[in-house]
Amino acid sequence: EAQVTQNPRYLITVTGKKLTVTCSQNMNHEYMSWYRQDPGLGLRQIYYSMNVEVTDKGDVPEGYKVSRKEKRNFPLILESPSPNQTSLYFCASSLLTVDLQNTEAFFGQGTRLTVV
Amino acid sequence: AQSVTQPDIHITVSEGASLELRCNYSYGATPYLFWYVQSPGQGLQLLLKYFSGDTLVQGIKGFEAEFKRSQSSFNLRKPSVHWSDAAEYFCAVAPTGTASKLTFGTGTRLQVTL
């Protein structure tokens, strides 16, 4: 089954304690990205990657890091989490293609992070 | 830069009534447009997408959307709403040529009364 898998689904942590949220896709997609969802703000892109070892900032990158060492994995790293990073996080992947029929972003189930 | 506006934060309709969710976009060229649905506790599921051609697009679950270039709109419609349609709906835009760099609207939460 084609899917994007995030772990963990729920996480409560304390300010300053480094954490990693994993994301893995099994569709051989080149493009992967992270979004955060906040009430009244919709989804905002944090970072994206167009292929292995190619990453770039999205709209709200401050306080986050990513890496893309393998095509299937795109972990999100919070080196020193703060309460304003409490949010719902989504990983997404898609093909970089001109085939419009296959142009679609697939999303993970989400990770609800609380930083106290 | 591209942007999306969903003017309605919350909409309530009765089961069986028709539905229209509004979406306006800002983009210099013809964008790629999407509607996603997020059920409680779930990820986002694609309802439909528009790239070019016929301006009326059919999607899953009985939804359709109409692209109106003159109004920069891409409104989502359903003739008869079911209680299971209660969810949050997001309109999104991507630059021509890719569906990857999505910009989302703030979402519309749909409540369905029985």
Side-chain angles (χ1 to χ4, degrees), chain B residues 24-92:
Chain B
N24 292 97
Y25 69 89
S26 174
Y27 184 66
T30 300
Y32 290 174
L33 295 159
F34 307 81
W35 275 99
Y36 281 85
V37 60
Q38 183 182 29
S39 299
Q42 300 297 313
L44 279 78
Q45 181 183 22
L46 181 68
L47 285 176
L48 47 79
K49 56 189 176 184
Y50 171 79
F51 297 107
S52 64
D54 192 347
T55 56
L56 187 62
V57 180
Q58 301 297 321
I60 62 172
K61 304 185 180 188
F63 285 92
E64 65 179 27
E66 185 172 12
F67 171 64
K68 291 186 178 180
R69 183 190 304 275
S70 61
Q71 299 176 19
S72 297
S73 69
F74 188 56
N75 295 348
L76 182 71
R77 300 196 294 247
K78 187 169 185 178
S80 178
V81 169
H82 188 261
W83 64 266
S84 62
D85 293 324
E88 188 150 23
Y89 292 80
F90 292 95
C91 182

Side-chain angles (χ1 to χ4, degrees), chain A residues 1 4 6 9-10 37 43 88-91 107-112, chain B residues 36-46 61 84 86-90 109:
Chain A
E1 180 189 356
V4 178
Q6 294 178 227
R9 292 287 310 277
Y10 302 91
Q37 182 182 4
L43 283 85
L88 179 58
Y89 292 86
F90 287 100
C91 179
F107 285 79
Q109 294 282 74
T111 296
R112 185 165 293 281
Chain B
Y36 281 85
V37 60
Q38 183 182 29
S39 299
Q42 300 297 313
L44 279 78
Q45 181 183 22
L46 181 68
K61 304 185 180 188
S84 62
E88 188 150 23
Y89 292 80
F90 292 95
R109 181 165 298 279

